[in-house]
Amino acid sequence: MVKTRAVIDEYDTYVPGRSKKEITDKYGIDADDILKLGSNENPWGASKKAQKAVAECAIEMNRYPESNHEYLKEKIAQYAGVRQNQVIVTGDGADELLDIIAKTLISEGDEFIVHPPTYTYYEYTFKLYNAKPVYARWDVETNTLDVDSVLDAITDKTKVIFLCTPNNPTGGLISHDDIVRIVEATDALVVVDEAYWEFAEVNNVDLLDKYDNVLLLRTFSKVMGLAGLRVGYGLASPELLEKISRIKPVFSVTVPSQKAVLATLDDKEYIEESTRKSIEEREYLYESVKAIDGLDIYASKSNYLLVDLHDSGYTAAEITEALMKRGVIVRDCTSFRDLDEYYMRISIETHPKNERFIEILKEVIDERRN
């Protein structure tokens, strides 16, 4: 047998949200009847302009995509309010950029700081390069970052600090002042993950012209509705991006992906409508779940919400199974470090589907109570 690296032999597989096909195969439920509230997607679909652009570019699939993305970066810069040389574009969403950052900055034995519970892909990616995770603390009860725990974790081995705002899976924000405190306390790269910033309606783009150790991580998979095309982007100093670009895969952003992003950025009405409806549905879910006895829910600034099940009579595994049998996909949060087996995450759907989800959820809770 081929001998693999020791870190691979000891590695846990990343746990994504469940797909409709899994539920169809397991329970025989028609895919069209399944409510998918587990993956933080845009339930209204991609921009019609993006769909048209992808269809029209099919004739180009025999050609390599444009590699420098200059026009694409120009359009992203206009949207983000930065200069073109402060933009890098990646395939495989923002996850590809995480991998490139690790390749660029990490030597064996270096440290990186994360604040669990948070997006697990930071740790999943960086440990592959033999970097050591150092754990700061997200206070789940108050849904805020313990800033002092981050500052106390910084050492001369710290290469990267991850700050997720809105935080996944809790939906809480990290204040601008707290981010500045951390950035000014270190020369390590501070990666501020703003994948869901549109739903929060605040961002930290002003930091880029003040500090050269900040990188904002973003994606077109959420409010832009392009999760299936996997395009991400980063905003940072031109000097850092020049070094990162040296090892970035040349053709990772495909022709359909580029065309779809450009068309979506031109569709301002779509972006505004997606953002507005997402926030409305988030607040509907918050108020509706909050009214169910036995469930506690955290206020969120994203398109998902964390639900505390301690008083429900269910573990996360039990309630997700009960919901899946009824054609509902939510996220069991047991795989998130520092969350026990009594948390699930729900993401928005269209309003009729959200109404149906609430009715099913009530039935499931009442069933255990009775």
Side-chain angles (χ1 to χ4, degrees):
M1 179 179 290
V2 175
K3 188 173 182 179
T4 57
R5 295 165 56 210
V7 67
I8 302 299
D9 295 335
E10 300 166 1
Y11 222 56
D12 292 328
T13 302
Y14 176 72
V15 181
R18 290 182 177 272
S19 68
K20 286 187 176 183
K21 186 177 186 304
E22 290 178 78
I23 309 308
T24 296
D25 291 346
K26 187 172 183 179
Y27 299 108
I29 301 172
D30 191 288
D32 292 337
D33 295 328
I34 294 173
L35 305 182
K36 196 165 187 280
L37 292 88
S39 297
N40 308 341
E41 296 159 330
N42 182 327
W44 295 281
S47 158
K48 299 298 183 186
K49 293 181 179 180
Q51 295 177 40
K52 181 181 179 184
V54 170
E56 290 177 348
C57 76
I59 195 172
E60 300 178 49
M61 67 175 63
N62 62 314
R63 303 297 184 186
Y64 285 107
E66 194 265 323
S67 60
N68 292 326
H69 314 126
E70 293 306 321
Y71 185 54
L72 187 56
K73 287 191 286 187
E74 178 186 346
K75 298 290 285 188
I76 292 172
Q78 292 172 1
Y79 173 73
V82 300
R83 300 188 304 277
Q84 184 175 331
N85 63 359
Q86 292 176 303
V87 179
I88 187 171
V89 190
T90 56
D92 194 21
D95 293 340
E96 181 184 286
L97 187 50
L98 292 175
D99 186 71
I100 299 168
I101 292 169
K103 288 178 179 177
T104 304
L105 298 181
I106 295 299
S107 299
E108 185 169 353
D110 285 341
E111 296 176 350
F112 65 99
I113 297 173
V114 291
H115 53 74
T118 193
Y119 185 44
T120 57
Y121 212 84
Y122 312 137
E123 190 172 346
Y124 177 84
T125 301
F126 272 58
K127 285 170 68 175
L128 279 174
Y129 296 93
N130 293 312
K132 177 185 175 184
V134 178
Y135 301 110
R137 177 174 175 267
W138 187 275
D139 187 328
V140 176
E141 185 174 341
T142 62
N143 204 7
T144 58
L145 177 67
D146 181 341
V147 180
D148 288 337
S149 73
V150 177
L151 297 175
D152 291 343
I154 298 172
T155 72
D156 58 0
K157 293 183 179 180
T158 304
K159 284 295 184 69
V160 179
I161 301 171
F162 289 102
L163 303 177
C164 189
T165 180
N167 188 39
N168 182 8
T170 70
L173 290 177
I174 304 173
S175 75
H176 186 274
D177 289 346
D178 285 343
I179 295 173
V180 170
R181 283 183 63 194
I182 294 166
V183 170
E184 292 184 342
T186 181
D187 58 2
L189 178 64
V190 180
V191 176
V192 183
D193 188 342
E194 293 188 339
Y196 301 90
W197 78 268
E198 286 96 343
F199 307 114
E201 300 178 288
V202 295
N203 63 63
N204 298 280
V205 75
D206 65 296
L207 298 179
L208 297 179
D209 286 333
K210 299 175 184 177
Y211 306 99
D212 61 6
N213 62 328
V214 174
L215 186 147
L216 305 185
L217 194 68
R218 294 185 175 181
T219 181
F220 287 94
S221 296
K222 308 305 177 183
V223 77
M224 303 290 188
L226 299 177
L229 292 181
R230 311 298 297 124
V231 185
Y233 66 102
L235 308 175
S237 72
E239 293 77 18
L240 175 62
L241 294 186
E242 190 279 325
K243 291 183 179 180
I244 290 176
S245 296
R246 295 178 189 180
I247 58 171
K248 175 185 167 300
V250 177
F251 297 119
S252 66
V253 186
T254 66
V255 171
S257 297
Q258 293 185 40
K259 299 289 187 181
V261 168
L262 290 170
T264 303
L265 289 172
D266 282 338
D267 195 348
K268 293 180 174 56
E269 182 178 346
Y270 166 82
I271 298 171
E272 291 171 0
E273 186 76 355
S274 287
T275 303
R276 180 187 62 78
K277 290 192 294 188
S278 296
I279 293 172
E280 287 177 356
E281 293 308 315
R282 177 190 72 204
E283 296 308 305
Y284 169 77
L285 285 176
Y286 175 75
E287 295 297 337
S288 299
V289 174
K290 187 179 179 181
I292 301 175
D293 289 340
L295 297 178
D296 290 320
I297 188 166
Y298 292 82
S300 171
K301 287 295 184 179
S302 191
N303 68 340
Y304 52 80
L305 303 105
L306 185 69
V307 182
D308 184 334
L309 303 167
H310 282 86
D311 297 327
S312 70
Y314 286 96
T315 64
E318 291 170 340
I319 200 168
T320 53
E321 183 74 12
L323 289 168
M324 283 191 293
K325 288 178 179 178
R326 292 166 171 83
V328 178
I329 302 173
V330 298
R331 181 65 184 266
D332 177 348
C333 289
T334 307
S335 63
F336 286 87
R337 186 181 295 276
D338 288 1
L339 286 182
D340 63 23
E341 67 271 28
Y342 294 96
Y343 290 92
M344 71 175 179
R345 190 191 67 199
I346 59 174
S347 54
I348 62 166
E349 253 292 356
T350 62
H351 191 70
K353 291 183 178 181
N354 284 333
E355 288 183 316
R356 184 173 154 217
F357 163 68
I358 292 299
E359 291 305 313
I360 294 172
L361 181 60
K362 287 177 180 177
E363 291 173 6
V364 168
I365 295 297
D366 288 343
E367 185 177 274
R368 181 58 59 95
R369 187 174 290 121
N370 296 330

